[in-house]
Amino acid sequence: MGRWGRHSPVLEPPDPPPPSPPPLPQRAFMRQSSFTKIGNMLNTAININSVKKPHGNGEAAWCFSQIKGALDDDVTDADIISCVEFNHDGELLATGDKGGRVVIFQRDPASKTVSPRRGEYNVYSTFQSHEPEFDYLKSLEIEEKINKIRWLRRKNPAHFLLSTNDKTVKLWKVSERDKSFEGYNTKGENGLTKDPQNITALRVPSVKQIPLMVEASPRRIFANAHTYHINSISVNSDQETYLSADDLRINLWHLEVTKESFNIVDIKPTNMEELTEVITAAEFHPTECNVFVYSSSKGTIRLCDMRSSALCDRHSKQFEEPENPTNRSFFSEIISSISDVKLSNSGRYMISRDYLSIKVWDLHMETKPIETYVVHEYLRAKLCSLYENDCIFDKFECCWNGKDTSIMTGSYNNFFRVFDRNTKKDVTLEASRDFLKPKTVLKPRKVCTGGKRKKDEISVDCLDFNKKILHTAWHPQENIIAVAATNNLFIFQDKF
């Protein structure tokens, strides 16, 4: 991408069922001949079948909008996208890469005024967020790779975001400037301070219009608080605090204080040989500022309430599904590890992603998920080879749409999956450079696991495991999705 052309909360009641269709109008009774009855039946059937059914998000109703990043096959490791995040109104879209850079895209104003609206974004700002460092005490290199980006809600004309690598979190201010001041009394044109004795006249500085500049400046640097690699950051709903999580600890920070943080979760055992699990992801509740959740490599999700204890080692709730004995294997513990957890926008549900599936949990029910969606079950037979090439340790992210009715996650071969919770339909789509024409409708892809392969299917043995969709984001208000595929960012939207 260097070249761009978190006591239980008071939760909301379940969503109401969809409204039933309006009753048919009453008709006056009259005796009909058999031919008239047959004719009415045929007309009714034709009218019902002619009603256009709306597309659910899980159906194949997505089309290509844009692709960002270099299209050549010579990809440097620094250009590989490592995170994608929309801001709260979807006007900005930020990506981070392994080279420590953050690229911000802004929604094209013209794409919102046309009918139908288009999901098109242009480069807004690019800046170097992190640099490679070296820990001389531990003789360890600290990568510049951006692990996570989280936006703060906008309070003034400037935008603020948090970005983190393995060790350091930074708060960035992104602002616009289109004016400059000239005619200072104590400062010369070269920027040097004048000798007050040489000032003979008092001038009023003037304002000069300049071409629009977008400036990114680091406002706070939160460092030296994590012994292990940071895997998650999450801004609290109070917009004053945030959490950062590494493999064994979760810290609570105030956005205005960089010199101290509060350790709220610590699962490190006294003897590291007794270590059985690590923290894989953590997130604040979207509306309850005292509640957060974190997932573990053992497949459990714990919900903690900061009102109950300063150190939340004792959770309020634990969400875990008992393992099916028939699926028990050498790889069971690995594939049950949760790579990502996201609370719904309403705060009632959450989704968790493990290696083979994505699960929807009701925060009122800890015993089992209310929905389970299979992402790529056809890979269960290939776990041995996936273990040998380390793909089994890939960490796939997941996301909600703005209305909590659909979820999305990635897979291999540049495939990504969209699940519609209302219709229970799902679709597999591909982020491919072969379809770069705007408005091109994405064709659903199917994977053949054996037997005779159909024309539009791809064999499981032909999947490219080097091409993987790990990072996805969904616009908070519209059906616009961003999918990171190696060094390219694909933007899709619902069908025109």
Side-chain angles (χ1 to χ4, degrees), residues 311-325:
L311 186 63
C312 300
D313 287 345
R314 294 184 179 181
H315 51 267
S316 299
K317 291 186 176 184
Q318 178 167 302
F319 302 85
E320 184 177 14
E321 184 179 28
E323 184 188 359
N324 185 349

Side-chain angles (χ1 to χ4, degrees), residues 163-176:
S163 64
T164 185
N165 65 348
D166 287 339
K167 297 292 182 179
T168 305
V169 183
K170 295 183 179 182
L171 174 65
W172 290 90
K173 176 184 179 181
V174 182
S175 56
E176 296 180 355

